[in-house]
Amino acid sequence: MTYQILGITSAVLLFFQISLFVFRRIYKYLPKKPTWFPLILKFLRRAHVYTGIALLIVGFIHGYLALGTIRLHTGLILWLGILLAFVGFLFKNKVGKKWIFYHRIMGFVLIALFFVHYFFPWLLK
């Protein structure tokens, strides 16, 4: 039961993470820019790092409680992808501006991995 709540929390956190990119794109292409929209972007930008850390922690606990161990599983691959995106963020100053391109690509990969994990969790069994 607890692992299910943590799984839902992880999914919400992942989609919250992706929402920063989505909302930035929506705002960029709006013909008439609402005055309140930048406030949402500012909130999402400030929360992005913290919700990413929370996603790593909650996702790990979810997987450990669900399986009782750490083993090769679609959830572990998803979690490693999240970790890779976070490590990329940590090294952004060494990599330069190219890191954001790979960070965003990783976001799309993570969404795909999420759906694989959600619909086919035992694919690797």
Side-chain angles (χ1 to χ4, degrees), residues 5-117:
I5 293 168
L6 292 174
I8 292 167
T9 305
S10 294
V12 169
L13 286 169
L14 178 62
F15 284 94
F16 184 87
Q17 289 295 100
I18 301 301
S19 71
L20 176 60
F21 175 78
V22 172
F23 278 92
R24 278 185 176 161
R25 287 297 172 259
I26 290 171
Y27 185 70
K28 181 178 179 178
Y29 294 107
L30 282 176
K32 186 177 178 185
K33 312 263 192 255
T35 56
W36 49 268
F37 214 102
L39 296 173
I40 292 174
L41 294 176
K42 185 177 182 180
F43 170 75
L44 291 172
R45 188 173 51 251
R46 287 185 175 172
H48 191 72
V49 173
Y50 301 108
T51 54
I53 293 168
L55 177 57
L56 278 170
I57 295 167
V58 172
F60 182 82
I61 296 169
H62 157 70
Y64 190 79
L65 290 178
L67 298 176
T69 186
I70 299 169
R71 67 177 192 210
L72 186 60
H73 186 270
T74 57
L76 178 63
I77 293 171
L78 173 58
W79 187 83
L80 289 172
I82 295 165
L83 181 64
L84 182 63
F86 188 73
V87 168
F89 162 74
L90 293 176
F91 289 103
K92 71 179 183 177
N93 292 333
K94 292 189 186 257
V95 176
K97 291 187 178 188
K98 285 186 176 184
W99 83 273
I100 194 67
F101 173 77
Y102 296 109
H103 190 72
R104 289 174 180 162
I105 294 295
M106 199 63 209
F108 289 109
V109 170
L110 291 175
I111 293 297
L113 289 173
F114 167 78
F115 283 111
V116 168
H117 176 57

